[in-house]
Amino acid sequence: MRKIFTSITAIALFGMISGMGFAYAGEIDILLQKLVEKGVLTAGEAQQIGTETKEQIKADTAAGKNYSLPAWVQNTKLKGDFRLRYQYNHAKASVTDQQRGRFRLRAGLESKVNEKLLVGFGLASGKTGDPRSTNQSLTDSSDKKTVIIDYAYAQYSPLSWATLIGGKMKNPLWEPGDMVWDTDITPEGGVLALAKKINSRTELFLNTGVFVIDEQSSCDHDPMFYAVQPGIKYGFSDTVSLKTAFSYYNFSNIKGNALDYGGGTNTKKPGSSTLYRWDYSAILPAAELGIKEPFKALNISFLNIPFMSVFSEYVYNSSIADNNSGYMLGCKLGAEKVEGRGQWQIKYNFARLEKDAVPDILPDSDRYSGKTNMRAHEFILDYGLGKNTWLSFDCYRAQSLAKPNSPETVVQMDWNMKF
């Protein structure tokens, strides 16, 4: 009878403590001591119950369980970031320079519907007329700023190595730089993403997608984008790794259509300033080689650099004969990712993108205003101020391939915060 009563006491004690939302050792010990004083438990039984209760709560906490919150709250993650920016624009062809104060705010939720299904959505500053930016400028007599839906998608993972995504999503296609894709673009459509680890050093991946660019009155003429991207991650050693992919992009029904928010640099149909002359079918090989502590093997102790990488990408549009290619070469040095105080990273890249290499709705909007038919240098310095906050200095020096004597310079100084 006493054993039954002891078991009931242990269950009640655990339920009461977990329901109150705390599991401090002091509270458990005080309650058990009172039960010993009342003669309900012996000292040995109290010690055993206390140990088991603490171990169970500790295990549940490690597993992410919190009995004081509903299950749907426990299955939901909130994350976001805020950025303050000073921007200076100088163009040789322009009469005046431009200085701008800007900010960006993004917040997103991911919630698990069940073990295999997840829904995510994000809100951001910006405006509906610009898919390549979530910035808001400090202007217009302190008017109220707009918030937009940045992404909204469902993600289903029937197997550990297979994921289906549908909706408006973060870009699922890998690119070591940003020659083709502005990082703010959230494409719309469906994706099948496969990733399988073959052994401790090798992982294969395959990203395939069907994306909607625009909707016309007839579905036969909807501009669409189809992508296939097989790739591999391979570790030569504990310090040297390579990631590479070979992509094929097919843009259909672009020819004869006027796409929104283009850069105005692709070739247009004769007699039109808005209708695109070509469709685009491009191949895009890309690679990044990463090395941890690159100077350690050379016994250069005073260069304590934790990480270095070199990367490259190339694009070739086989749909036309001229002005159809582009490439980017770049390198990184410093922390692999700036996450704490005193960490730093410098990055440099050079990009050259001919007139009809890719549709001009895609490239980075800060590099020559998102246009093709350009060449550009970019230098970036990130410095960590503390956990989840860092300063960035980003400088672009770009010029048109058609007008090499009219360079443009963009300088951006950012204070970044993640939450």
Side-chain angles (χ1 to χ4, degrees):
M1 184 69 179
R2 185 177 180 84
K3 288 184 179 180
I4 296 175
F5 185 75
T6 301
S7 300
I8 293 173
T9 302
I11 294 171
L13 178 64
F14 174 71
M16 180 177 62
I17 293 172
S18 60
M20 292 172 64
F22 61 82
Y24 302 111
E27 280 79 356
I28 295 175
D29 293 339
I30 290 171
L31 289 171
L32 289 173
Q33 183 61 36
K34 292 293 183 182
L35 293 174
V36 171
E37 292 174 358
K38 296 290 185 180
V40 177
L41 298 175
T42 66
E45 290 169 342
Q47 184 179 1
Q48 180 182 354
I49 293 172
T51 301
E52 292 175 354
T53 302
K54 293 173 189 176
E55 288 177 354
Q56 183 61 52
I57 293 175
K58 189 175 181 179
D60 287 347
T61 302
K65 295 182 180 180
N66 187 329
Y67 295 94
S68 64
L69 297 174
W72 70 269
V73 175
Q74 297 181 50
N75 291 330
T76 300
K77 295 180 181 180
L78 170 66
K79 56 184 178 180
D81 62 84
F82 179 68
R83 181 179 70 195
L84 285 173
R85 165 173 291 178
Y86 164 78
Q87 181 168 318
Y88 170 77
N89 293 9
H90 169 77
K92 187 176 180 180
S94 176
V95 178
T96 59
D97 296 341
Q98 183 183 39
Q99 299 185 66
R100 313 174 79 180
R102 316 191 84 183
F103 73 87
R104 181 186 70 184
L105 174 65
R106 299 184 298 188
L109 285 174
E110 288 184 355
S111 186
K112 292 179 67 175
V113 179
N114 54 47
E115 291 302 314
K116 295 184 178 182
L117 183 61
L118 178 146
V119 172
F121 76 90
L123 302 177
S125 53
K127 44 190 177 180
T128 56
D130 195 350
R132 289 188 273 181
S133 177
T134 50
N135 290 312
Q136 284 280 13
S137 296
L138 307 182
T139 183
D140 296 332
S141 302
S142 302
D143 69 341
K144 304 303 181 186
K145 309 303 183 184
T146 55
V147 174
I148 56 175
I149 295 177
D150 191 23
Y151 57 87
Y153 65 90
Q155 178 177 303
Y156 178 61
S157 302
L159 301 166
S160 61
W161 48 270
T163 300
L164 291 163
I165 309 172
K168 184 173 181 63
M169 67 197 76
K170 300 173 185 178
N171 196 338
L173 301 169
W174 176 73
E175 187 183 14
D178 56 0
M179 177 184 70
V180 174
W181 288 96
D182 188 295
T183 55
D184 283 316
I185 293 177
T186 48
E188 303 168 3
V191 168
L192 171 62
L194 308 177
K196 183 70 173 179
K197 201 154 190 175
I198 305 303
N199 52 48
S200 60
R201 291 191 174 184
T202 308
E203 180 180 338
L204 302 178
F205 64 90
L206 174 66
N207 300 314
T208 61
V210 179
F211 304 95
V212 178
I213 298 176
D214 205 352
E215 183 181 271
Q216 305 292 336
S217 57
S218 171
C219 63
D220 294 335
H221 297 91
D222 287 349
M224 301 288 289
F225 165 47
Y226 305 89
V228 179
Q229 185 185 64
I232 183 172
K233 298 178 186 177
Y234 182 74
F236 295 96
S237 66
D238 293 338
T239 58
V240 181
S241 62
L242 174 69
K243 185 174 183 178
T244 184
F246 187 92
S247 307
Y248 172 73
Y249 293 175
N250 178 258
F251 298 86
S252 65
N253 293 329
I254 288 182
K255 182 178 179 181
N257 275 306
L259 302 183
D260 297 324
Y261 315 119
T265 44
N266 288 151
T267 303
K268 302 301 188 291
K269 287 186 69 173
S272 172
S273 61
T274 59
L275 301 180
Y276 285 71
R277 184 172 184 178
W278 316 108
D279 281 328
Y280 294 78
S281 296
I283 57 171
L284 300 94
E288 181 170 16
L289 179 70
I291 306 172
K292 296 179 180 179
E293 299 182 327
F295 298 103
K296 188 175 182 180
L298 301 176
N299 292 321
I300 306 178
S301 57
F302 66 92
L303 288 176
N304 186 22
I305 307 297
F307 181 76
M308 180 179 74
S309 76
V310 292
F311 59 90
S312 65
E313 48 185 311
Y314 176 77
V315 59
Y316 173 75
N317 176 17
S318 60
S319 298
I320 58 175
D322 300 313
N323 298 312
N324 60 353
S325 64
Y327 66 89
M328 174 179 278
L329 300 172
C331 61
K332 300 176 189 175
L333 194 68
E336 189 168 358
K337 189 175 181 181
V338 174
E339 296 178 316
R341 181 178 177 83
Q343 294 182 344
W344 58 271
Q345 183 193 88
I346 58 174
K347 180 179 178 180
Y348 167 79
N349 65 67
F350 173 79
R352 187 180 190 276
L353 206 56
E354 293 180 343
K355 186 179 182 70
D356 290 306
V358 296
D360 58 8
I361 61 173
L362 298 180
D364 180 7
S365 62
D366 294 319
R367 182 183 290 110
Y368 204 64
S369 301
K371 301 173 182 178
T372 59
N373 201 31
M374 65 85 210
R375 53 179 290 175
H377 301 270
E378 181 184 12
F379 174 82
I380 305 170
L381 170 63
D382 291 337
Y383 182 79
L385 298 176
K387 184 178 180 181
N388 296 326
T389 180
W390 69 98
L391 294 177
S392 292
F393 173 86
D394 196 345
C395 180
Y396 296 87
R397 179 71 171 178
Q399 62 187 37
S400 168
L401 295 179
K403 300 177 180 178
N405 294 322
S406 297
E408 294 184 3
T409 302
V410 176
V411 177
Q412 297 168 339
M413 290 181 282
D414 299 335
W415 181 16
N416 302 277
M417 292 150 268
K418 289 178 64 176
F419 58 85

